[in-house]
mmCIF file of all heavy atoms in Angstrom:
data_model
loop_
_atom_site.group_PDB
_atom_site.id
_atom_site.type_symbol
_atom_site.label_atom_id
_atom_site.label_comp_id
_atom_site.label_asym_id
_atom_site.label_seq_id
_atom_site.Cartn_x
_atom_site.Cartn_y
_atom_site.Cartn_z
ATOM 1 N N GLY A 23 8.073 36.333 -25.747
ATOM 2 C CA GLY A 23 7.046 36.647 -26.655
ATOM 3 C C GLY A 23 5.834 35.615 -26.581
ATOM 4 O O GLY A 23 5.915 34.643 -25.874
ATOM 5 N N VAL A 24 4.804 35.838 -27.408
ATOM 6 C CA VAL A 24 3.637 35.031 -27.253
ATOM 7 C C VAL A 24 3.580 34.291 -28.584
ATOM 8 O O VAL A 24 3.525 34.815 -29.717
ATOM 9 C CB VAL A 24 2.304 35.863 -27.135
ATOM 10 C CG1 VAL A 24 1.117 35.023 -27.041
ATOM 11 C CG2 VAL A 24 2.490 36.715 -25.844
ATOM 12 N N ASN A 25 3.461 32.976 -28.375
ATOM 13 C CA ASN A 25 3.437 31.987 -29.540
ATOM 14 C C ASN A 25 1.999 31.620 -29.805
ATOM 15 O O ASN A 25 1.354 31.114 -28.903
ATOM 16 C CB ASN A 25 4.362 30.833 -29.343
ATOM 17 C CG ASN A 25 4.547 29.990 -30.650
ATOM 18 O OD1 ASN A 25 3.555 29.489 -31.097
ATOM 19 N ND2 ASN A 25 5.826 29.777 -31.092
ATOM 20 N N SER A 26 1.591 31.735 -30.999
ATOM 21 C CA SER A 26 0.098 31.489 -31.219
ATOM 22 C C SER A 26 -0.218 30.083 -31.006
ATOM 23 O O SER A 26 -1.360 29.665 -30.529
ATOM 24 C CB SER A 26 -0.293 31.908 -32.606
ATOM 25 O OG SER A 26 0.607 31.344 -33.654
ATOM 26 N N SER A 27 0.723 29.103 -31.433
ATOM 27 C CA SER A 27 0.318 27.673 -31.377
ATOM 28 C C SER A 27 0.419 27.327 -29.786
ATOM 29 O O SER A 27 -0.352 26.503 -29.434
ATOM 30 C CB SER A 27 1.536 26.899 -32.026
ATOM 31 O OG SER A 27 2.787 27.098 -31.393
ATOM 32 N N VAL A 28 1.236 27.977 -29.057
ATOM 33 C CA VAL A 28 1.098 27.714 -27.653
ATOM 34 C C VAL A 28 -0.172 28.111 -26.947
ATOM 35 O O VAL A 28 -0.728 27.482 -26.028
ATOM 36 C CB VAL A 28 2.314 28.364 -26.847
ATOM 37 C CG1 VAL A 28 2.306 28.062 -25.409
ATOM 38 C CG2 VAL A 28 3.631 27.644 -27.417
ATOM 39 N N LEU A 29 -0.580 29.250 -27.477
ATOM 40 C CA LEU A 29 -1.806 29.864 -26.850
ATOM 41 C C LEU A 29 -2.960 28.970 -27.222
ATOM 42 O O LEU A 29 -3.998 28.795 -26.422
ATOM 43 C CB LEU A 29 -2.155 31.295 -27.474
ATOM 44 C CG LEU A 29 -1.116 32.366 -26.952
ATOM 45 C CD1 LEU A 29 -1.543 33.709 -27.775
ATOM 46 C CD2 LEU A 29 -1.294 32.540 -25.483
ATOM 47 N N ARG A 30 -2.890 28.316 -28.265
ATOM 48 C CA ARG A 30 -4.076 27.440 -28.809
ATOM 49 C C ARG A 30 -4.082 26.158 -27.923
ATOM 50 O O ARG A 30 -5.039 25.508 -27.622
ATOM 51 C CB ARG A 30 -3.968 27.017 -30.198
ATOM 52 C CG ARG A 30 -4.308 28.028 -31.165
ATOM 53 C CD ARG A 30 -4.487 27.482 -32.608
ATOM 54 N NE ARG A 30 -3.314 26.858 -33.058
ATOM 55 C CZ ARG A 30 -2.371 27.578 -33.744
ATOM 56 N NH1 ARG A 30 -2.480 28.898 -34.048
ATOM 57 N NH2 ARG A 30 -1.185 26.958 -34.210
ATOM 58 N N GLN A 31 -2.912 25.788 -27.265
ATOM 59 C CA GLN A 31 -2.763 24.571 -26.329
ATOM 60 C C GLN A 31 -3.427 24.958 -25.016
ATOM 61 O O GLN A 31 -3.823 23.937 -24.295
ATOM 62 C CB GLN A 31 -1.320 24.225 -26.021
ATOM 63 C CG GLN A 31 -0.617 23.717 -27.373
ATOM 64 C CD GLN A 31 0.766 23.458 -26.910
ATOM 65 O OE1 GLN A 31 1.135 23.300 -25.888
ATOM 66 N NE2 GLN A 31 1.538 23.267 -28.071
ATOM 67 N N SER A 32 -3.704 26.081 -24.692
ATOM 68 C CA SER A 32 -4.238 26.480 -23.305
ATOM 69 C C SER A 32 -3.586 25.950 -22.208
ATOM 70 O O SER A 32 -4.190 24.900 -21.577
ATOM 71 C CB SER A 32 -5.817 26.108 -23.292
ATOM 72 O OG SER A 32 -6.379 26.720 -22.212
ATOM 73 N N PRO A 33 -2.324 26.208 -21.935
ATOM 74 C CA PRO A 33 -1.594 25.311 -21.056
ATOM 75 C C PRO A 33 -1.847 25.767 -19.524
ATOM 76 O O PRO A 33 -1.044 25.172 -18.666
ATOM 77 C CB PRO A 33 0.015 25.768 -21.378
ATOM 78 C CG PRO A 33 -0.190 27.259 -21.878
ATOM 79 C CD PRO A 33 -1.540 27.166 -22.587
ATOM 80 N N ASP A 34 -2.650 26.680 -19.273
ATOM 81 C CA ASP A 34 -2.846 27.112 -17.870
ATOM 82 C C ASP A 34 -3.183 26.008 -16.986
ATOM 83 O O ASP A 34 -2.445 25.842 -15.830
ATOM 84 C CB ASP A 34 -3.984 28.171 -17.799
ATOM 85 C CG ASP A 34 -4.045 28.859 -16.462
ATOM 86 O OD1 ASP A 34 -3.226 29.654 -16.095
ATOM 87 O OD2 ASP A 34 -4.976 28.491 -15.695
ATOM 88 N N ALA A 35 -4.127 25.136 -17.192
ATOM 89 C CA ALA A 35 -4.363 24.012 -16.220
ATOM 90 C C ALA A 35 -3.194 23.003 -16.023
ATOM 91 O O ALA A 35 -2.886 22.767 -14.898
ATOM 92 C CB ALA A 35 -5.681 23.297 -16.664
ATOM 93 N N SER A 36 -2.618 22.607 -17.086
ATOM 94 C CA SER A 36 -1.550 21.773 -16.928
ATOM 95 C C SER A 36 -0.323 22.349 -16.231
ATOM 96 O O SER A 36 0.402 21.698 -15.545
ATOM 97 C CB SER A 36 -1.148 21.107 -18.333
ATOM 98 O OG SER A 36 -0.775 22.167 -19.196
ATOM 99 N N ILE A 37 -0.095 23.537 -16.542
ATOM 100 C CA ILE A 37 1.063 24.344 -15.971
ATOM 101 C C ILE A 37 0.848 24.364 -14.446
ATOM 102 O O ILE A 37 1.828 24.178 -13.605
ATOM 103 C CB ILE A 37 1.279 25.586 -16.715
ATOM 104 C CG1 ILE A 37 1.814 25.337 -18.116
ATOM 105 C CG2 ILE A 37 2.277 26.472 -15.814
ATOM 106 C CD1 ILE A 37 3.124 24.601 -18.109
ATOM 107 N N ARG A 38 -0.482 24.814 -14.062
ATOM 108 C CA ARG A 38 -0.736 24.881 -12.715
ATOM 109 C C ARG A 38 -0.544 23.532 -11.960
ATOM 110 O O ARG A 38 -0.058 23.542 -10.758
ATOM 111 C CB ARG A 38 -2.220 25.460 -12.456
ATOM 112 C CG ARG A 38 -2.294 26.872 -12.674
ATOM 113 C CD ARG A 38 -3.709 27.403 -12.275
ATOM 114 N NE ARG A 38 -3.840 28.790 -12.525
ATOM 115 C CZ ARG A 38 -3.501 29.742 -11.576
ATOM 116 N NH1 ARG A 38 -3.014 29.439 -10.553
ATOM 117 N NH2 ARG A 38 -3.666 31.007 -11.864
ATOM 118 N N LEU A 39 -0.847 22.602 -12.571
ATOM 119 C CA LEU A 39 -0.712 21.212 -11.976
ATOM 120 C C LEU A 39 0.779 20.803 -11.776
ATOM 121 O O LEU A 39 1.137 20.407 -10.723
ATOM 122 C CB LEU A 39 -1.315 20.104 -12.919
ATOM 123 C CG LEU A 39 -1.142 18.723 -12.416
ATOM 124 C CD1 LEU A 39 -1.779 18.442 -11.045
ATOM 125 C CD2 LEU A 39 -1.703 17.661 -13.420
ATOM 126 N N VAL A 40 1.653 21.224 -12.771
ATOM 127 C CA VAL A 40 3.113 21.032 -12.615
ATOM 128 C C VAL A 40 3.644 21.891 -11.482
ATOM 129 O O VAL A 40 4.441 21.416 -10.624
ATOM 130 C CB VAL A 40 3.717 21.481 -13.974
ATOM 131 C CG1 VAL A 40 5.267 21.357 -13.795
ATOM 132 C CG2 VAL A 40 3.303 20.375 -15.099
ATOM 133 N N ALA A 41 3.101 23.082 -11.352
ATOM 134 C CA ALA A 41 3.657 23.927 -10.220
ATOM 135 C C ALA A 41 3.283 23.448 -8.915
ATOM 136 O O ALA A 41 3.954 23.533 -7.909
ATOM 137 C CB ALA A 41 3.084 25.470 -10.497
ATOM 138 N N GLU A 42 1.972 22.922 -8.811
ATOM 139 C CA GLU A 42 1.546 22.375 -7.538
ATOM 140 C C GLU A 42 2.359 21.153 -7.109
ATOM 141 O O GLU A 42 2.677 21.008 -6.024
ATOM 142 C CB GLU A 42 0.056 22.069 -7.531
ATOM 143 C CG GLU A 42 -0.898 23.268 -7.595
ATOM 144 C CD GLU A 42 -2.332 23.088 -7.814
ATOM 145 O OE1 GLU A 42 -2.556 21.839 -7.778
ATOM 146 O OE2 GLU A 42 -3.042 23.940 -7.795
ATOM 147 N N LEU A 43 2.580 20.285 -8.099
ATOM 148 C CA LEU A 43 3.376 19.116 -7.827
ATOM 149 C C LEU A 43 4.827 19.567 -7.508
ATOM 150 O O LEU A 43 5.317 18.873 -6.467
ATOM 151 C CB LEU A 43 3.393 18.206 -9.018
ATOM 152 C CG LEU A 43 2.087 17.565 -9.330
ATOM 153 C CD1 LEU A 43 2.196 16.784 -10.774
ATOM 154 C CD2 LEU A 43 1.737 16.501 -8.363
ATOM 155 N N GLN A 44 5.373 20.461 -8.082
ATOM 156 C CA GLN A 44 6.744 20.902 -7.626
ATOM 157 C C GLN A 44 6.636 21.445 -6.229
ATOM 158 O O GLN A 44 7.696 21.129 -5.429
ATOM 159 C CB GLN A 44 7.296 22.043 -8.664
ATOM 160 C CG GLN A 44 7.577 21.426 -10.070
ATOM 161 C CD GLN A 44 8.028 22.533 -10.916
ATOM 162 O OE1 GLN A 44 7.688 23.710 -10.837
ATOM 163 N NE2 GLN A 44 8.592 22.202 -12.044
ATOM 164 N N ALA A 45 5.661 22.219 -5.886
ATOM 165 C CA ALA A 45 5.629 22.678 -4.525
ATOM 166 C C ALA A 45 5.487 21.648 -3.483
ATOM 167 O O ALA A 45 6.058 21.569 -2.346
ATOM 168 C CB ALA A 45 4.489 23.678 -4.383
ATOM 169 N N ARG A 46 4.624 20.550 -3.807
ATOM 170 C CA ARG A 46 4.514 19.402 -2.910
ATOM 171 C C ARG A 46 5.696 18.563 -2.746
ATOM 172 O O ARG A 46 6.107 18.107 -1.610
ATOM 173 C CB ARG A 46 3.332 18.478 -3.495
ATOM 174 C CG ARG A 46 1.946 19.293 -3.312
ATOM 175 C CD ARG A 46 0.936 18.387 -3.951
ATOM 176 N NE ARG A 46 0.769 17.001 -3.188
ATOM 177 C CZ ARG A 46 -0.040 16.101 -3.532
ATOM 178 N NH1 ARG A 46 -0.748 16.203 -4.612
ATOM 179 N NH2 ARG A 46 -0.086 14.996 -2.813
ATOM 180 N N ILE A 47 6.540 18.400 -3.859
ATOM 181 C CA ILE A 47 7.745 17.783 -3.744
ATOM 182 C C ILE A 47 8.866 18.459 -2.878
ATOM 183 O O ILE A 47 9.541 17.934 -2.132
ATOM 184 C CB ILE A 47 8.338 17.520 -5.163
ATOM 185 C CG1 ILE A 47 7.443 16.634 -5.985
ATOM 186 C CG2 ILE A 47 9.768 17.116 -5.151
ATOM 187 C CD1 ILE A 47 7.903 16.321 -7.321
ATOM 188 N N ALA A 48 8.706 19.793 -2.989
ATOM 189 C CA ALA A 48 9.622 20.694 -2.255
ATOM 190 C C ALA A 48 9.178 20.385 -0.692
ATOM 191 O O ALA A 48 10.288 20.239 0.180
ATOM 192 C CB ALA A 48 9.573 22.143 -2.537
ATOM 193 N N ALA A 49 7.936 20.480 -0.437
ATOM 194 C CA ALA A 49 7.621 20.186 1.022
ATOM 195 C C ALA A 49 8.008 18.911 1.455
ATOM 196 O O ALA A 49 8.471 18.659 2.611
ATOM 197 C CB ALA A 49 5.979 20.397 1.131
ATOM 198 N N GLN A 50 7.799 17.811 0.595
ATOM 199 C CA GLN A 50 8.231 16.457 0.979
ATOM 200 C C GLN A 50 9.692 16.343 1.205
ATOM 201 O O GLN A 50 10.147 15.552 2.041
ATOM 202 C CB GLN A 50 7.794 15.470 -0.226
ATOM 203 C CG GLN A 50 7.670 13.988 0.275
ATOM 204 C CD GLN A 50 6.540 13.803 1.299
ATOM 205 O OE1 GLN A 50 5.797 14.735 1.505
ATOM 206 N NE2 GLN A 50 6.443 12.586 1.942
ATOM 207 N N ASP A 51 10.500 17.025 0.359
ATOM 208 C CA ASP A 51 12.022 17.169 0.599
ATOM 209 C C ASP A 51 12.231 17.590 2.037
ATOM 210 O O ASP A 51 13.185 17.152 2.759
ATOM 211 C CB ASP A 51 12.590 17.855 -0.484
ATOM 212 C CG ASP A 51 12.842 17.035 -1.710
ATOM 213 O OD1 ASP A 51 12.877 15.968 -1.675
ATOM 214 O OD2 ASP A 51 12.759 17.774 -2.869
ATOM 215 N N ILE A 52 11.550 18.649 2.430
ATOM 216 C CA ILE A 52 11.758 19.358 3.765
ATOM 217 C C ILE A 52 11.409 18.362 4.821
ATOM 218 O O ILE A 52 12.102 18.123 5.847
ATOM 219 C CB ILE A 52 10.888 20.614 3.868
ATOM 220 C CG1 ILE A 52 11.422 21.637 2.939
ATOM 221 C CG2 ILE A 52 11.129 21.203 5.351
ATOM 222 C CD1 ILE A 52 10.636 22.810 2.882
ATOM 223 N N LYS A 53 10.371 17.536 4.604
ATOM 224 C CA LYS A 53 9.902 16.526 5.492
ATOM 225 C C LYS A 53 10.909 15.443 5.689
ATOM 226 O O LYS A 53 11.347 15.121 6.719
ATOM 227 C CB LYS A 53 8.641 15.861 5.055
ATOM 228 C CG LYS A 53 8.042 14.680 6.017
ATOM 229 C CD LYS A 53 6.741 14.174 5.589
ATOM 230 C CE LYS A 53 6.338 13.140 6.419
ATOM 231 N NZ LYS A 53 4.989 12.579 6.045
ATOM 232 N N LEU A 54 11.447 15.013 4.614
ATOM 233 C CA LEU A 54 12.579 13.937 4.567
ATOM 234 C C LEU A 54 13.802 14.500 5.398
ATOM 235 O O LEU A 54 14.455 13.909 6.228
ATOM 236 C CB LEU A 54 12.999 13.467 3.226
ATOM 237 C CG LEU A 54 12.029 12.485 2.557
ATOM 238 C CD1 LEU A 54 12.542 12.265 1.066
ATOM 239 C CD2 LEU A 54 12.067 11.201 3.293
ATOM 240 N N THR A 55 14.168 15.749 5.226
ATOM 241 C CA THR A 55 15.301 16.308 5.868
ATOM 242 C C THR A 55 15.041 16.314 7.267
ATOM 243 O O THR A 55 15.954 16.126 8.076
ATOM 244 C CB THR A 55 15.563 17.752 5.342
ATOM 245 O OG1 THR A 55 15.848 17.632 3.924
ATOM 246 C CG2 THR A 55 16.771 18.315 6.034
ATOM 247 N N SER A 56 13.780 16.692 7.803
ATOM 248 C CA SER A 56 13.512 16.762 9.230
ATOM 249 C C SER A 56 13.428 15.328 9.775
ATOM 250 O O SER A 56 13.831 15.083 10.990
ATOM 251 C CB SER A 56 12.187 17.269 9.373
ATOM 252 O OG SER A 56 12.058 18.605 8.858
ATOM 253 N N LEU A 57 12.937 14.323 8.976
ATOM 254 C CA LEU A 57 12.900 12.997 9.504
ATOM 255 C C LEU A 57 14.301 12.450 9.865
ATOM 256 O O LEU A 57 14.589 11.624 10.699
ATOM 257 C CB LEU A 57 12.188 12.073 8.587
ATOM 258 C CG LEU A 57 10.654 12.270 8.582
ATOM 259 C CD1 LEU A 57 10.122 11.405 7.477
ATOM 260 C CD2 LEU A 57 10.022 11.936 9.857
ATOM 261 N N ARG A 58 15.317 12.761 8.976
ATOM 262 C CA ARG A 58 16.585 12.279 9.129
ATOM 263 C C ARG A 58 17.169 12.683 10.458
ATOM 264 O O ARG A 58 18.198 12.102 10.940
ATOM 265 C CB ARG A 58 17.597 12.758 8.043
ATOM 266 C CG ARG A 58 17.248 12.054 6.614
ATOM 267 C CD ARG A 58 18.371 12.377 5.681
ATOM 268 N NE ARG A 58 18.198 11.609 4.420
ATOM 269 C CZ ARG A 58 17.586 12.182 3.369
ATOM 270 N NH1 ARG A 58 17.050 13.352 3.351
ATOM 271 N NH2 ARG A 58 17.371 11.416 2.242
ATOM 272 N N GLY A 59 16.618 13.724 11.075
ATOM 273 C CA GLY A 59 17.232 14.204 12.357
ATOM 274 C C GLY A 59 16.903 13.269 13.462
ATOM 275 O O GLY A 59 17.612 13.339 14.476
ATOM 276 N N PHE A 60 15.746 12.607 13.477
ATOM 277 C CA PHE A 60 15.420 11.654 14.492
ATOM 278 C C PHE A 60 14.999 10.329 14.249
ATOM 279 O O PHE A 60 14.563 9.559 15.029
ATOM 280 C CB PHE A 60 14.410 12.392 15.510
ATOM 281 C CG PHE A 60 13.164 12.668 14.670
ATOM 282 C CD1 PHE A 60 12.012 11.888 14.637
ATOM 283 C CD2 PHE A 60 13.000 14.021 13.967
ATOM 284 C CE1 PHE A 60 10.972 12.129 13.919
ATOM 285 C CE2 PHE A 60 11.850 14.286 13.275
ATOM 286 C CZ PHE A 60 10.733 13.333 13.409
ATOM 287 N N LEU A 61 15.025 9.979 12.880
ATOM 288 C CA LEU A 61 14.716 8.640 12.543
ATOM 289 C C LEU A 61 15.814 8.021 11.516
ATOM 290 O O LEU A 61 16.437 8.769 10.801
ATOM 291 C CB LEU A 61 13.307 8.598 11.652
ATOM 292 C CG LEU A 61 12.019 8.814 12.460
ATOM 293 C CD1 LEU A 61 10.967 8.816 11.616
ATOM 294 C CD2 LEU A 61 11.833 7.860 13.518
ATOM 295 N N ALA A 62 15.928 6.727 11.711
ATOM 296 C CA ALA A 62 16.807 5.966 10.776
ATOM 297 C C ALA A 62 16.124 5.759 9.370
ATOM 298 O O ALA A 62 14.870 5.871 9.354
ATOM 299 C CB ALA A 62 17.263 4.557 11.441
ATOM 300 N N GLU A 63 16.913 5.520 8.365
ATOM 301 C CA GLU A 63 16.299 5.464 7.109
ATOM 302 C C GLU A 63 15.483 4.116 6.930
ATOM 303 O O GLU A 63 14.763 3.882 5.959
ATOM 304 C CB GLU A 63 17.466 5.625 6.077
ATOM 305 C CG GLU A 63 18.050 6.839 6.001
ATOM 306 C CD GLU A 63 19.051 7.040 4.785
ATOM 307 O OE1 GLU A 63 19.203 5.918 4.009
ATOM 308 O OE2 GLU A 63 19.624 8.026 4.576
ATOM 309 N N SER A 64 15.815 3.215 7.830
ATOM 310 C CA SER A 64 14.960 1.940 7.811
ATOM 311 C C SER A 64 13.615 2.079 8.432
ATOM 312 O O SER A 64 12.809 1.145 8.652
ATOM 313 C CB SER A 64 15.841 0.797 8.437
ATOM 314 O OG SER A 64 16.132 1.151 9.809
ATOM 315 N N ALA A 65 13.380 3.219 9.158
ATOM 316 C CA ALA A 65 12.128 3.327 9.916
ATOM 317 C C ALA A 65 10.933 3.376 8.937
ATOM 318 O O ALA A 65 10.982 3.888 7.830
ATOM 319 C CB ALA A 65 12.144 4.597 10.730
#
């Protein structure tokens, strides 16, 4: 449903920021997984 108080908060910008940060974290997790294949954790 649509909550009137939530609509007044206009969450679009902040929600997009959260979504983008989540996507960047997912990409960084993939990078860490790849680095473990040929680098030591002390590198």
Side-chain angles (χ1 to χ4, degrees):
V24 179
N25 190 298
S26 59
S27 62
V28 175
L29 292 177
R30 286 194 299 270
Q31 294 178 13
S32 184
D34 186 72
S36 59
I37 291 299
R38 284 187 178 276
L39 176 61
V40 170
E42 291 176 359
L43 288 173
Q44 288 176 336
R46 292 176 62 184
I47 290 174
Q50 197 71 7
D51 282 332
I52 297 175
K53 178 179 179 179
L54 280 174
T55 303
S56 302
L57 288 176
R58 284 191 178 94
F60 56 91
L61 287 180
E63 294 188 2
S64 59

